[in-house]
Amino acid sequence: MEKLFKLQERQTTISKEIIGGITTFLAMAYILAVNPSILSGSGMEWGPVFTATAIAAALATLVMAFVANLPVALAPGLGLNAFFTYTVVLGMGCSWQLALTAVFIEGVLFIILSLCGVREAIIRSIPEGLKKAVAVGIGLFIAIIGLVNAGICTTDTGTTIGFVNFNMQHATAIVAILGLIITIVLYTLKVPGAILIGIILTTIIGIPFGVTTIGEDFKPFSLPSKPYLFAFDFKGIAIDSITGKFSFAVLGQFFVIFFTFLFTDLFDTIGTLLGVAEQGNLKDENGEVLNVKGALLSDAVGTVAGAALGTSTVTSFVESSSGVAAGARTGLASLVTGILFLLSLFLSPLFFLIPSAATAPALIFVGYLMMKSVVDIQFDDPTEGIPAFITIMTMPFAYSISKGIMFGIIAYVIAKCAGKKVKDIPVVTWVLAVIFLADIIFEALKYDSGDSK
């Protein structure tokens, strides 16, 4: 253990690492219920997605343990799975197979970029304010999804969107509100695994309300379902060599999908690594995250494995900070977390019982956790604050993460040019702004030609 994880060097013990690994698992195990719930909205089956989620999380976290030696756990990311279902599949009308293709190619590219050190360079070139704004915008987007899934927010109130009246006709909403209260109390009391415990208690509370249903043939244990191995669709991005026609519409869609997965994952991963490194003092003499290349590589490998199994982008989880707070400092904690994810494979019937009313409070509360980044945005500087505001505003109101990123980057270029701060615009940001403007123009031309509604 000492040779593998350098316990003495980081002033920790085996018992601290085990406790930290368990704490991290308890804090993020809600993803085993939430991810299948979200991705099933795209037409994927709950069981295989659950299996893919558990295996992908275990593999990626184990790679993090042995390659990067950091107490950081990984799993399919919230926000990224919402983009997968609600924007790519339901919004753009793409198949979930095409979405998996984008995730898979993103992961392969990430492996190449991580090995070459390019990924760190790309991260450094993206404006810091936009990184924070993306996290906040995704948090609001996730919270709204939770409110809608719980039946708390609806368009049936006579307004654009409003809260329902809480009565027994809205039992799902009542149960969700009770679950949110429980989660808030547990988290405020610093109870380890507050979100997961909240989901469990809300599921139990839902039984007398008729929200949680238990079938007569219910069995708490079962063998894992078969995941969606290599269920990809490359035809949607291919050039038809026979007719010579180039489908700008499909290729353009894929381009936006691919880069949204790419950069959102970049932001999520680097933000988590920086936060965990700061909390656990896991930095080198230059103030950089220890073994950052190995950490980024672990994230990339997890994404490729996850896509091959049948789940959305795998990324580092901010809940890892709970394990660090419990004493974790090395990859031994990640090893423990990875093993627990594997053991959870045999408990899928228990997770299948969990209704949307129980997972909705977790989505809403994760929105709060992601909102914290807003304090680091320089709103006093309009060239920073306005693009950040547009990014944050667009994601929930347009119900689209990709549109938030697109308009945020375009606004950043416009604001910097107007503020005579052109030198502040990185080359990569210029390139992205041009790409996103081109996509908007293509969509406008497609609309004028009658190709879209």
Side-chain angles (χ1 to χ4, degrees), residues 441-453:
I441 293 171
F442 279 130
E443 285 296 320
L445 292 175
K446 185 174 68 174
Y447 181 89
D448 288 339
S449 66
D451 291 336
S452 68
K453 296 180 181 180

Side-chain angles (χ1 to χ4, degrees), residues 141-206:
F141 182 58
I142 291 173
I144 285 184
I145 291 172
L147 290 168
V148 172
N149 288 350
I152 297 172
C153 279
T154 177
T155 56
D156 297 333
T157 58
T159 59
T160 303
I161 188 169
F163 274 43
V164 299
N165 295 319
F166 296 105
N167 52 52
M168 288 311 297
Q169 291 182 338
H170 299 105
T172 301
I174 293 174
V175 171
I177 288 293
L178 292 174
L180 183 59
I181 293 172
I182 291 171
T183 304
I184 291 171
V185 171
L186 292 174
Y187 188 85
T188 303
L189 294 174
K190 299 181 179 181
V191 176
I195 295 177
L196 178 62
I197 295 173
I199 290 176
I200 294 172
L201 293 179
T202 307
T203 300
I204 295 172
I205 291 172

Side-chain angles (χ1 to χ4, degrees), residues 35 37-45 49 79-103 141 231 233 253-254 256-258 260-261 310-312 399-403:
N35 193 54
S37 176
I38 291 177
L39 293 188
S40 61
S42 69
M44 302 176 76
E45 297 178 35
V49 175
L80 292 162
N81 53 12
F83 174 75
F84 185 105
T85 295
Y86 299 105
T87 298
V88 177
V89 178
L90 299 181
M92 296 181 176
C94 300
S95 66
W96 58 263
Q97 290 91 341
L98 180 63
L100 281 181
T101 304
V103 175
F141 182 58
D233 176 15
Q253 276 189 335
F254 183 84
V256 173
I257 294 167
F258 170 75
T260 302
F261 279 133
T311 186
S312 54
Y399 219 65
S400 171
I401 296 170
S402 62
K403 281 187 172 61

